[in-house]
Amino acid sequence: MFSSSRISILARRVIYQMLADPRTLVLIVVVPIILLTVAGILIRVEPKDIQVGVVNQDEGMSAVNLGNQLVAVLKGVDAFKTVEMTPEEAARNLDDGDVDAVITLDSDLTAQVIQTQTFMLKVTYEGSNPTISKRLESLFERASAQALTGLIATTPQGGGTNQLETTIQADYLYGGPEYDTLDYTAPALIAVFVFLFVFILTSISFLRERQNGTLERLQATPIRPQEIILGYMFGFLVFALIQGAITLLYTVFVLDIHYTGNLLNVFVVEIILAITSVNLGIFFSTFARNEFQVLQFIPLVVVSQVFLGGVLWEVEEMPVWLQPIAQLMPLTHANEALREIMIKGMSLTSELGSIAALLAIAAVVVMLSARTAGRVQI
Amino acid sequence: MTEAVLVENVHKHFGEVKALQGFSLYVQKGEIYGLLGPNGAGKSTLIRAIVGLITPDMGRVVVLGKTMPDKDILSKVGYMTQASALYAELTVWQNVAFFAGLLGCRNKTAIEEAIALVDLSDRAHSRVATLSGGMRQRVSLASVLAHHPELVLLDEPTVGVDPQLRVQFWEHFRKLTAQGITLIVSSHVMDEAERCDRLGFLRRGSLIAEGSAESLRQQAGKDNLEDAFLYFAEKSDVQQ
């Protein structure tokens, strides 16, 4: 028979144990609130302003100028901002990622359309975020149709036909029409996995080192705290790199994501990220008395970085006050670098900014862990 | 230099707790020195101060001629902690080789010998997790002896060890001193203390009496060490 008194005795013991651990209590309440707040803010964030550049060179034909009409229609679209520019400006803005697409209207556009009865829209997409390119394409189709309706109404020549066919001739600076959201997310996910597993493994092994008293024995040998940290780093790097290699090959060849960069560059970024993660693990293990408490650091350290590190939401789209926090996170910079390398095929030297930031964070974390690695007490 | 360990007027406080109060100790090379006292008397703190894990608030510790803390001299020291500190997922051999390696010994024969010394050659490739408590204690001992230390510190090495094995342990200890090795052994078991060359009685972070088991009994005028300890404890209370 069930004894309610035995059950309640046990339930009470569980409650007492929890009450004896105020940190756990705070974490189980505070962490979800923080994460929900951040998620709430991010999910409601309006997509950043999409910028479209137009190079309008259309000279028109007998008082009709299709180029001007199209520009007028495009400027009336709320979903993006249209800016007219010269071909040189367009090329530069596209390279810098300041515009997401450039529409080029040739000088004989109106003449061509009237002559051939077809309208070809030349678009160059920046292409590194496939979602934006896809969205723009349908918007451009609608805008063209609208501009052509105006044309049909105003030109006697065009009056003969009710329909003009529109084709979009699309060009991509990076990526291509076959790129999808996974191509954009995969580099970041690879970084997340490396970071997550190395963090869990190091923090738990280091905690055990303290709990079992082996850390005390290590300290009664000539080994220095810095050597302990380096030993941990190299040991776990082996597994981080094996994991990185397998997930990378799997995403490229099995999940078939598009990939242009140099594999070795990806590994350089992963090594720096794994070093950061090992040291964060050692540092946080100082604040954990048991495996429970280590697990509670995962939402704090890992999930917060998934939200803010540019995995799902772009850092530039975040509210201004959240961006500095995102910049402090190693995953933000690793994601940035990995995306540039894998989608745009950038070299390490062109990504010096994010790599330097990642190295700086790694250096700070190494210092923190070196200070705490020697602590024997749990 | 004939002293292995010299502790001079060492004070150590942990918050309100005075773990060591002006503690002085002198251990000669080649002797077995026993630290005897109840739990909380400061035995572990003293041993941890000798290996340099604790820096004294005051006073100094000299080990094999070096003022502690000194990381490099530790390769000549073996320190066996109270609970067997081992990696349960690794084998006996891997554990012994790991600690011996850090202490500067990469010699396979030395590792084999250390494992043979504690009579675990047939279990050398078993994981520590599969061993009994007594066996783990033996692995722990092997892992502090493989690198041929000059000074061995054993913090309650025979806790949880069956009487037969305890006898074996003491035979090993005697063999080690025959090679000129110094041993400092802490214990709260009085009959074990009989086997030490010299004994120090510890109480509340101070040394209340010192000498061979025989001389301590005589000074106290008691038949056994337990009564002798109580005699010196009362005497130190009166003095305070």
Side-chain angles (χ1 to χ4, degrees):
Chain A
M1 269 307 286
F2 283 119
S3 150
S4 59
S5 78
R6 283 197 296 265
I7 294 170
S8 83
I9 288 168
L10 195 120
R12 252 181 288 163
R13 196 214 70 202
V14 170
I15 292 165
Y16 290 145
Q17 277 178 315
M18 283 295 282
L19 290 176
D21 189 358
R23 177 166 20 187
T24 300
L25 288 176
V26 171
L27 282 172
I28 60 175
V29 176
V30 171
V31 172
I33 288 175
I34 294 174
L35 292 181
L36 279 171
T37 312
V38 172
I41 291 165
L42 292 176
I43 288 167
R44 293 206 183 113
V45 156
E46 294 291 317
K48 73 161 180 186
D49 294 336
I50 300 175
Q51 296 260 6
V52 174
V54 181
V55 179
N56 184 10
Q57 295 167 317
D58 188 11
E59 286 163 358
M61 193 181 170
S62 54
V64 182
N65 190 317
L66 181 59
N68 290 346
Q69 285 186 33
L70 186 62
V71 171
V73 173
L74 288 172
K75 283 191 169 161
V77 180
D78 288 334
F80 52 81
K81 203 174 155 212
T82 308
V83 185
E84 285 190 76
M85 46 186 70
T86 64
E88 295 75 34
E89 281 172 345
R92 198 180 55 240
N93 284 332
L94 208 52
D95 262 346
D96 296 347
D98 291 340
V99 294
D100 299 285
V102 167
I103 295 174
T104 309
L105 304 168
D106 292 334
S107 58
D108 56 349
L109 180 76
T110 312
Q112 281 285 335
V113 172
I114 290 168
Q115 209 173 24
T116 60
Q117 297 289 304
T118 56
F119 174 41
M120 184 166 324
L121 186 68
K122 281 203 230 166
V123 184
T124 310
Y125 295 108
E126 196 266 345
S128 62
N129 188 339
T131 323
I132 293 178
S133 310
K134 290 234 161 62
R135 202 153 146 238
L136 280 178
E137 186 163 298
S138 59
L139 287 168
F140 289 161
E141 265 168 20
R142 238 184 292 161
S144 312
Q146 206 181 330
L148 288 170
T149 322
L151 180 77
I152 293 161
T154 50
T155 55
Q157 291 98 325
T161 41
N162 291 324
Q163 255 184 332
L164 278 170
E165 234 171 83
T166 306
T167 45
I168 291 184
Q169 188 201 345
D171 237 352
Y172 289 83
L173 185 60
Y174 305 112
E178 72 280 10
Y179 273 59
D180 59 19
T181 314
L182 185 61
D183 294 308
Y184 180 74
T185 323
L189 284 180
I190 292 173
V192 169
F193 290 138
V194 168
F195 188 87
L196 173 70
F197 289 112
V198 173
F199 180 76
I200 296 176
L201 289 175
T202 338
S203 48
I204 290 188
S205 349
F206 217 80
L207 175 80
R208 284 201 188 148
E209 195 102 66
R210 279 202 181 84
Q211 279 183 328
N212 297 345
T214 45
L215 189 62
E216 171 153 340
R217 278 219 53 198
L218 286 186
Q219 291 191 315
T221 73
I223 198 167
R224 271 69 170 170
Q226 297 89 326
E227 294 169 330
I228 297 179
I229 289 174
L230 285 172
Y232 261 80
M233 269 194 221
F234 287 118
F236 281 115
L237 261 186
V238 172
F239 295 102
L241 290 182
I242 292 173
Q243 186 207 33
I246 292 172
T247 46
L248 190 63
L249 294 175
Y250 186 81
T251 41
V252 171
F253 293 109
V254 181
L255 297 182
D256 219 18
I257 71 155
H258 298 87
Y259 169 73
T260 50
N262 183 340
L263 261 179
L264 281 178
N265 290 345
V266 174
F267 281 114
V268 172
V269 177
E270 279 188 4
I271 288 171
I272 308 173
L273 187 64
I275 289 173
T276 317
S277 194
V278 165
N279 284 283
L280 267 181
I282 293 175
F283 178 65
F284 273 94
S285 76
T286 322
F287 304 108
R289 261 183 228 106
N290 48 49
E291 271 101 338
F292 268 151
Q293 294 186 339
V294 168
L295 286 178
Q296 287 153 14
F297 287 131
I298 292 168
L300 197 69
V301 178
V302 182
V303 180
S304 64
Q305 293 203 75
V306 170
F307 280 169
L308 292 173
V311 180
L312 303 169
W313 293 280
E314 281 190 60
V315 176
E316 294 81 46
E317 289 181 11
M318 291 173 191
V320 183
W321 61 272
L322 268 181
Q323 290 191 18
I325 302 174
Q327 295 298 332
L328 288 177
M329 299 184 163
L331 267 186
T332 307
H333 303 283
N335 288 342
E336 167 86 20
L338 285 177
R339 233 170 231 152
E340 298 282 312
I341 289 167
M342 290 178 69
I343 299 176
K344 299 190 183 175
M346 291 293 180
S347 66
L348 283 180
T349 40
S350 62
E351 288 316 307
L352 277 183
S354 26
I355 289 175
L358 189 56
L359 279 173
I361 294 172
V364 171
V365 177
V366 169
M367 278 186 339
L368 288 177
S369 79
R371 279 174 158 246
T372 54
R375 277 191 212 161
V376 174
Q377 276 86 5
I378 318 172
Chain B
M1 182 188 74
T2 52
E3 89 267 8
V5 174
L6 184 68
V7 176
E8 270 180 359
N9 193 28
V10 166
H11 288 261
K12 183 69 192 178
H13 293 200
F14 297 108
E16 291 292 294
V17 184
K18 294 172 183 169
L20 294 176
Q21 307 189 62
F23 202 102
S24 293
L25 183 76
Y26 171 86
V27 179
Q28 251 176 329
K29 280 192 175 172
E31 73 173 332
I32 301 185
Y33 192 97
L35 295 170
L36 226 73
N39 288 327
K43 301 187 298 278
S44 294
T45 310
L46 178 65
I47 290 183
R48 299 183 75 230
I50 293 173
V51 279
L53 284 172
I54 291 172
T55 317
D57 299 333
M58 221 172 96
R60 65 170 190 151
V61 177
V62 180
V63 172
L64 302 170
K66 302 276 181 192
T67 304
M68 299 306 282
D70 181 315
K71 278 268 170 200
D72 292 314
I73 198 70
L74 289 171
S75 60
K76 294 181 179 170
V77 178
Y79 167 45
M80 182 173 162
T81 51
Q82 217 171 74
S84 57
L86 300 165
Y87 300 96
E89 59 274 49
L90 301 184
T91 65
V92 173
W93 177 279
Q94 286 170 327
N95 270 285
V96 176
F98 172 74
F99 287 111
L102 287 183
L103 290 157
C105 161
R106 284 165 196 83
N107 181 345
K108 269 191 158 188
T109 334
I111 295 159
E112 261 166 34
E113 280 170 9
I115 295 173
L117 188 75
V118 296
D119 203 16
L120 279 173
S121 299
D122 52 331
R123 300 298 300 269
H125 298 288
S126 304
R127 284 166 194 264
V128 166
T130 65
L131 302 182
S132 71
M135 285 175 171
R136 288 182 202 196
Q137 204 72 340
R138 277 144 70 189
V139 179
S140 204
L141 183 62
S143 74
V144 302
L145 295 180
H147 64 294
H148 295 299
E150 292 176 26
L151 170 69
V152 181
L153 297 142
L154 305 162
D155 197 356
E156 309 229 358
T158 55
V159 167
V161 170
D162 62 75
Q164 207 183 344
L165 186 64
R166 194 176 292 173
V167 173
Q168 281 178 28
F169 264 35
W170 279 98
E171 281 168 10
H172 294 320
F173 297 163
R174 210 27 96 184
K175 273 185 222 160
L176 292 172
T177 52
Q179 299 166 29
I181 294 171
T182 313
L183 266 85
I184 298 179
V185 184
S186 85
S187 178
H188 61 258
V189 186
M190 297 290 170
D191 65 329
E192 240 177 31
E194 295 281 355
R195 301 168 184 271
C196 300
D197 296 321
R198 280 201 302 147
L199 286 173
F201 282 165
L202 269 75
R203 191 155 182 271
R204 293 182 187 158
S206 310
L207 194 64
I208 55 170
E210 197 183 31
S212 70
E214 185 54 40
S215 77
L216 286 170
R217 272 194 303 264
Q218 278 179 4
Q219 283 177 49
K222 305 283 178 188
D223 296 337
N224 60 53
L225 277 176
E226 190 131 3
D227 290 337
F229 184 89
L230 292 172
Y231 167 82
F232 287 113
E234 272 168 34
K235 205 173 126 192
S236 80
D237 284 348
V238 171
Q239 276 171 1
Q240 276 180 3

